[in-house]
Amino acid sequence: MTFAEVATLAMVPLGAAVALGGSWVLWKKRLGPRGAACSEPTRLSLGVVGLLLGYQLVVWGLAPFVTTPVAIPVEYWGWVVGIALVWVTGSLWLEAVDRRRG
């Protein structure tokens, strides 16, 4: 197997772990050290981004073997990761601004 094939197959367990992490965040009520809680919108954002990113990683990892009608082409991986990072960073930043204000 080539490195590209191994990397593609490694996306499946990585994607499953990210999706499970996203579902855990959605299920878990509290995040953070010593009981510090994220706001509900931030927790939901982290969970949804985890689920979507995990799903995409699994689909991209299985792309050589399985086709699915609901998938973003792998050529746009940079956009997917970039949007996910902006979404999570923006949510955390807005929560920090809200906490400073009041």
Side-chain angles (χ1 to χ4, degrees):
M1 287 184 109
T2 66
F3 177 74
E5 291 170 333
V6 171
T8 300
L9 290 176
M11 280 195 278
V12 174
L14 176 64
V18 171
L20 285 174
S23 61
W24 179 81
V25 169
L26 287 173
W27 177 74
K28 186 87 170 150
K29 280 289 186 186
R30 294 187 165 264
L31 284 177
R34 291 171 268 139
C38 287
S39 68
E40 190 75 9
T42 298
R43 189 176 63 81
L44 292 174
S45 291
L46 291 171
V48 169
V49 166
L51 285 173
L52 293 174
L53 196 57
Y55 171 78
Q56 279 306 133
L57 286 171
V58 169
V59 168
W60 290 336
L62 294 175
F65 313 108
V66 179
T67 58
T68 177
V70 183
I72 298 170
V74 72
E75 294 83 25
Y76 299 118
W77 72 268
W79 284 99
V80 172
V81 172
I83 289 169
L85 287 174
V86 168
W87 187 352
V88 169
T89 303
S91 181
L92 293 172
W93 178 70
L94 288 172
E95 181 177 346
V97 168
D98 190 42
R99 284 186 180 176
R100 272 187 274 156
R101 287 189 181 171

